[in-house]
């Protein structure tokens, strides 16, 4: 089969023939129909983000595929089934605190590194091998536009954060980083989950206008100035009442002060969920005041990726029409144009921009 291979950090991906994967016990092989290219993929492949990928490796994070072969322990999945392939591989020998790796992308700790060595290759290929439990059936309608459904890989991430924070219908949510690719997804998913209003702070006026046009009166845009006190007051005013929950999806380039300003708009007994990259590349940390957290009984928690159940929930949100993928701007690239796709993704990382690789089988 053909695949795009990261041969070394800083080099373009190389499209070449590699061995086609086989399925053993607990494994499934799928034909990859569509996979999203992250806007920051170029930073990963250059080495700038210092991700623990070990070249040579086929990168790529999840995707839509059709099952080719299943292992002997599969009881429901069949060859030909259309599935969503979750990239989040979890160790099977610790139900309480499983190690995690993102297949073809990243990992956490030594346990995650061991998982990554067993499941190294991602979805930038004609076929990929995944854990059987990572294949989630899709409705037949997804076959009409698998490239659009590949956005599940984006939407599942903030959905995991919203589930972690216990977002309830009618509540007010503030999305820190709302004008970015993941942040705008959080806005869309929160509305689909029934949020009463969503406060969307950002510096990009055009992106804020796009969000306001799509979500109407439930979206409360706030143009940030960089003044902490003024920005916090503007966000609180836009909420027109208590902020029940804050989710932070800011990238590593964002200063910690922006995260802190947004987090401290939350009401007493409110929740703050941290999912972004602030401080990951050596910048300042968020530095939330101990006294403020304690006196206001604020719950602050981190969330990396999402629980397995989020995959099923996200498929249902899209299949039911609660989350509409139609307005998303999707640009597709064939496998031979993978480096063009990476460049396009870097230049088009705004709200609801999707760069999708569609590897033809051969």
């Amino acid at each position: 089969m053909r695949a795009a291979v990261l041969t070394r950090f800083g080099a373009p991906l190389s499209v070449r023939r590699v061995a086609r994967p086989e399925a053993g016990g607990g494994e499934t092989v799928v034909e990859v129909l569509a996979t999203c290219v992250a806007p920051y993929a170029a930073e990963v492949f250059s080495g700038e983000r210092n991700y623990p990928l070990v070249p040579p490796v086929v990168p790529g994070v999840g995707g839509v595929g059709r099952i080719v072969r299943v292992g002997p322990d599969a009881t429901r999945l069949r060859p030909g089934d259309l599935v969503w392939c979750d990239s989040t591989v979890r160790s099977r020998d610790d139900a309480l605190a499983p190690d995690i790796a993102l297949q073809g992308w990243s990992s956490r700790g030594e346990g995650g590194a061991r998982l990554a060595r067993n499941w190294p290759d991602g979805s930038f290929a004609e076929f990929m091998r995944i854990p059987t439990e990572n294949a989630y059936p899709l409705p037949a309608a997804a076959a009409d536009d698998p490239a659009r459904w590949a956005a599940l890989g984006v939407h599942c991430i903030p959905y995991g954060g919203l589930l972690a924070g216990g977002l309830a219908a009618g509540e007010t949510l503030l999305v820190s980083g709302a004008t970015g690719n993941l942040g705008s997804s959080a806005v869309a998913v929160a509305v689909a989950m029934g949020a009463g209003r969503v406060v969307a702070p950002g510096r990009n006026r055009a992106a804020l206008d796009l969000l306001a046009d799509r979500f109407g009166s439930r979206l409360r845009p706030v143009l940030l100035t960089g003044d902490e006190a003024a920005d916090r007051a503007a966000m609180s005013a836009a909420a027109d009442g208590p902020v029940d929950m804050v989710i932070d999806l800011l990238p590593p380039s964002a200063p910690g002060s922006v995260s802190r300003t947004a987090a401290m708009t939350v009401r007493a007994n409110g929740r703050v969920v941290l999912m972004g990259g602030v401080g990951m590349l050596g910048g300042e940390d968020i530095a939330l005041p101990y006294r403020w957290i304690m006196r206001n009984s604020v719950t602050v928690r981190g969330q990396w990726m999402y629980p397995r159940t989020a995959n099923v929930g996200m498929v249902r949100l899209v299949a039911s029409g609660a989350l509409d993928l139609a307005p998303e701007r999707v640009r597709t690239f064939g496998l031979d144009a993978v480096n063009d796709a990476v460049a396009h993704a870097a230049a088009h990382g705004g709200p609801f921009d999707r760069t999708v690789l569609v590897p033809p089988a051969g």
Side-chain angles (χ1 to χ4, degrees):
M1 72 166 187
R2 296 166 67 250
V5 180
L6 176 67
T7 56
R8 62 178 176 82
F9 289 111
L13 298 181
S14 174
V15 179
R16 58 178 63 176
R17 289 206 167 270
V18 299
R20 182 166 160 172
E22 298 294 330
E27 300 175 352
T28 295
V29 173
V30 299
E31 175 191 0
V32 180
L33 302 180
T35 177
C36 270
V37 181
Y40 61 91
E43 297 175 18
V44 174
F45 301 152
S46 70
E48 179 182 346
R49 290 218 173 190
N50 198 29
Y51 275 24
L53 281 173
V54 181
V57 64
V58 178
V61 191
V64 175
R66 198 169 291 282
I67 290 181
V68 174
R69 194 171 297 108
V70 294
D73 55 348
T75 62
R76 303 288 181 88
L77 296 172
R78 297 286 186 271
D81 287 352
L82 189 69
V83 294
W84 163 247
C85 305
D86 179 15
S87 66
T88 310
V89 181
R90 299 167 179 85
S91 59
R92 295 164 172 165
D93 52 359
D94 189 338
L96 185 62
D99 288 305
I100 293 176
L102 303 186
Q103 186 175 354
W105 205 247
S106 185
S107 61
R108 181 187 68 190
E110 176 52 33
R114 290 179 63 186
L115 285 175
R117 287 194 289 272
N118 188 62
W119 303 96
D121 293 329
S123 51
F124 286 11
E126 292 174 333
F127 299 90
M128 69 181 298
R129 176 181 62 98
I130 64 173
T132 299
E133 66 269 24
N134 283 31
Y136 294 85
L138 292 175
D144 296 335
D145 197 350
R148 194 166 297 276
W149 277 78
L152 287 171
V154 180
H155 292 308
C156 271
I157 297 172
Y159 184 46
L162 297 174
L163 291 176
L167 180 69
E171 286 193 317
T172 294
L173 172 75
L174 187 147
V175 179
S176 183
T179 57
N181 205 255
L182 282 174
S184 58
S185 169
V187 172
V189 175
V191 171
M193 292 173 68
R197 59 176 63 94
V198 180
V199 180
R203 295 177 181 273
N204 186 328
R205 185 184 294 275
L208 291 174
D209 289 344
L210 187 154
L211 292 172
D213 287 344
R214 178 167 175 180
F215 299 109
S217 61
R218 292 168 72 183
L219 193 285
R220 306 297 176 90
V222 177
L223 190 65
L224 296 177
T225 66
D227 182 301
E228 281 196 54
D231 287 342
R232 187 176 301 130
M235 287 185 278
S236 296
D240 193 26
V243 174
D244 299 293
M245 177 178 163
V246 173
I247 184 169
D248 185 280
L249 289 152
L250 286 167
S253 58
S257 59
V258 178
S259 287
R260 180 173 59 250
T261 301
M264 292 183 69
T265 63
V266 79
R267 63 169 170 82
N269 300 300
R271 298 95 68 198
V272 177
V273 177
L274 306 178
M275 292 195 81
V278 171
M280 285 177 58
L281 297 182
E284 63 174 310
D285 210 340
I286 184 171
L288 288 172
Y290 184 112
R291 179 184 174 123
W292 172 79
I293 296 171
M294 183 270 290
R295 288 287 179 89
N296 291 286
S297 301
V298 172
T299 298
V300 180
R301 65 164 290 173
Q303 178 65 36
W304 190 40
M305 301 304 286
Y306 42 83
R308 290 192 61 215
T309 52
N311 292 280
V312 177
M314 184 51 56
V315 170
R316 288 174 174 172
L317 282 176
V318 177
S320 68
L323 179 61
D324 185 8
L325 300 181
E328 305 200 351
R329 299 180 293 266
V330 180
R331 173 73 185 278
T332 61
F333 292 81
L335 191 59
D336 286 324
V338 62
N339 291 301
D340 294 333
V342 171
H344 182 272
H348 298 82
F352 315 116
D353 280 331
R354 307 287 178 239
T355 302
V356 180
L357 201 65
V358 286

